[in-house]
Amino acid sequence: MVLPVVAAGLLYWWKPSWVAGGLAAGFVAAGLAAAGVLPWGFGPLSILAGVLSSVLASRIDRALPKSVEGAWERSRPKTVAWAMLALLMLVQLSRLSAFMTDRDSTWASTFPPVEFTVTHMCMASYVHAADLSRQNDPNLYDTKHYPNFGLTEAEEIPTSVAGLQPYLDDSFHYPPPFLLLPRTWLAVSNDYLVIRSIWFAIQILTFVAFAVLLALWIGGSAGAWSLWMLPLVLASMPTMFNLQFGQIHLFTIWTTMAAMLAFEVKRPVLGGVLLAGGIASKLFPGILVLYMVFQKRWRDLAWTTLFGAVFAGLSLAVTGRTPFAQFFGYTLPRLLSGEAFSFVTDPLVITTNLSVPGMVWKLDLLGVEGASAWLGPTSTVYTVLILIATWYAARLDVDRVGRVQLWLALLILASLRSALVPIYGVAPVLWLMTLELDSVDSRKGLIGFALSWVFVSSVPPAPSPVVTIALYTVALVAMLYWVVRPLRSRADEKRT
């Protein structure tokens, strides 16, 4: 559908008429279909797409801000560069959409050369745990239910969800209220392939909608840079892996950011719902509760506590008391000690791990005897540093973009405490970097920004584990630089 949309856009640019654009797009698509270049059905569908895009184009003058008008005359290189980014995003997400709706189209996955990245799906463990909970399993966190511990094979694990078994791999470590989400999926459909397609679409649409909303709220050049760089964030491999795996990570990040924005604009009820939901999904958003405690924002904390209790009550009603008892008595101690990640033995997983405490596994792989035993103490030290950073951030007097940067930075720092942070954990860092681009005001800084972006978002594993460890350690240092960068005092002045 790229061809009719581009054709309509070019026609509107040349002659502002939705009729001309629609007809041009339709004739282009129908002509190519008739010539056998495209499937026959592409012609009629593209005519519709062309007409719709042209109608939208006819309303652009009233929808876009005045600052966008005349962009071509002011800076053709920037206009062309952004157009290329937008088309890259369109191609990347279109091909991934093809894979997410047709599992046989493996060519369209994020990185087809590596089979693991094609077949792996984090969300499979969510659906499997929800299936176990509706069957009243005595311990849905038990390692026997998940193949990654090596105790059983995926083919030997029973499931009542159609199409799920081939994707069983990851174990489930989330709080019981999180089960409300996959239980909702199962209420809609018992077909895993249908669920993954719907969740993929929801993730893309909601993240883009909020990212645009946040950029407009920030305003000024900082908001503009964040908006214009959004296509590159979406087209990057970490974001695409997050969407393809069905991982809840990015969804949790943006909903927690939305909670803080809701509090900021005096919508405490909405903020309480979103923040409580984020904490129920992954525990690390709780760092922003501490942030608000330091700022004595008792009303916002009260609403968050209330809806946390509501989610817990709903979870008790839907799943019963057993998951709570097993989470606090069995899973949480194993998470804190690192035992829950004892399945991490693959050298590729260890060397590409971007967790801060997970660095000890790399030392163990390099031959430092007993290094893996340092996981607990390292996590404790890093936790103390996060708490100090949160206290410091809560004391800063900053403007809008500064507050947004601090919220996102604290969330990322807290997420890096996990013993295992795969490549999808980089996506929020790239989003944060777009919010910081406005403050990069030198050529040297821009070069550093570009190199950091390329290195963090697309550094490949090397044949040698030692080289891979070196590459990903540099990537982690670059990530930490951009994450820690907002933790400095900023003048509380209106940005222009």
Side-chain angles (χ1 to χ4, degrees), residues 83-398:
M84 296 302 294
L85 286 182
L87 288 175
L88 173 64
M89 175 197 70
L90 183 63
V91 170
Q92 288 284 73
L93 294 184
S94 295
R95 72 179 180 90
L96 185 56
S97 297
F99 174 65
M100 296 305 292
T101 51
D102 178 14
R103 65 178 178 179
D104 295 327
S105 299
T106 56
W107 60 269
S109 63
T110 300
F111 195 65
V114 178
E115 183 180 358
F116 171 79
T117 65
V118 177
T119 58
H120 178 76
M121 288 207 72
C122 302
M123 69 175 293
S125 68
Y126 312 160
V127 177
H128 184 45
D131 184 41
L132 292 172
S133 76
R134 70 177 178 178
Q135 296 178 28
N136 299 314
D137 189 272
N139 186 4
L140 57 86
Y141 297 100
D142 197 323
T143 55
K144 70 180 182 180
H145 295 305
Y146 306 98
N148 57 345
F149 285 97
L151 302 178
T152 184
E153 298 294 329
E155 294 78 12
E156 301 171 358
I157 299 176
T159 176
S160 63
V161 182
L164 175 61
Q165 196 171 58
Y167 296 96
L168 292 177
D169 184 19
D170 279 358
S171 46
F172 183 77
H173 302 131
Y174 296 82
F178 174 76
L179 290 168
L180 293 171
L181 178 63
R183 284 292 294 265
T184 302
W185 297 343
L186 290 176
V188 174
S189 173
N190 201 54
D191 188 327
Y192 177 70
L193 297 180
V194 172
I195 294 172
R196 82 167 195 168
S197 300
I198 295 173
W199 179 237
F200 169 75
I202 290 174
Q203 283 213 89
I204 290 181
L205 296 175
T206 54
F207 172 66
V208 171
F210 177 72
V212 171
L213 175 66
L214 184 66
L216 295 175
W217 180 78
I218 292 172
S221 55
W225 273 115
S226 176
L227 187 61
W228 301 135
M229 291 291 285
L230 183 59
L232 191 56
V233 175
L234 292 167
S236 68
M237 291 185 65
T239 304
M240 291 180 66
F241 273 127
N242 195 110
L243 298 171
Q244 179 184 315
F245 293 164
Q247 171 58 236
I248 196 70
H249 188 79
L250 185 59
F251 187 83
T252 301
I253 291 281
W254 83 252
T255 52
T256 307
M257 292 289 291
M260 298 305 290
L261 180 58
F263 289 139
E264 197 73 20
V265 298
K266 310 303 180 185
R267 298 288 188 273
V269 178
L270 178 60
V273 171
L274 293 172
L275 184 53
I279 297 171
S281 300
K282 293 204 172 188
L283 297 177
F284 68 81
I287 197 66
L288 293 181
V289 171
L290 186 61
Y291 173 82
M292 292 193 295
V293 168
F294 288 139
Q295 293 187 332
K296 301 180 180 180
R297 296 163 59 173
W298 309 123
R299 185 180 66 165
D300 296 339
L301 289 167
W303 281 110
T304 303
T305 303
L306 173 62
F307 284 105
V310 170
F311 284 131
L314 286 174
S315 181
L316 281 169
V318 173
T319 66
R321 296 172 56 186
T322 302
F324 283 86
Q326 294 300 338
F327 177 77
F328 289 105
Y330 174 79
T331 299
L332 189 58
R334 298 174 74 247
L335 285 173
L336 295 176
S337 67
E339 185 184 354
F341 299 98
S342 59
F343 62 88
V344 181
T345 57
D346 187 343
L348 180 62
V349 176
I350 294 174
T351 55
T352 57
N353 184 14
L354 292 166
S355 159
V356 173
M359 289 291 294
V360 299
W361 285 334
K362 298 180 182 181
L363 295 176
D364 193 58
L365 191 64
L366 291 173
V368 179
E369 188 175 351
S372 58
W374 303 346
L375 182 62
T378 304
S379 299
T380 301
V381 172
Y382 182 66
T383 301
V384 172
L385 293 176
I386 295 173
L387 296 179
I388 295 173
T390 305
W391 170 81
Y392 177 73
R395 292 167 55 88
L396 294 177
D397 186 15
V398 292

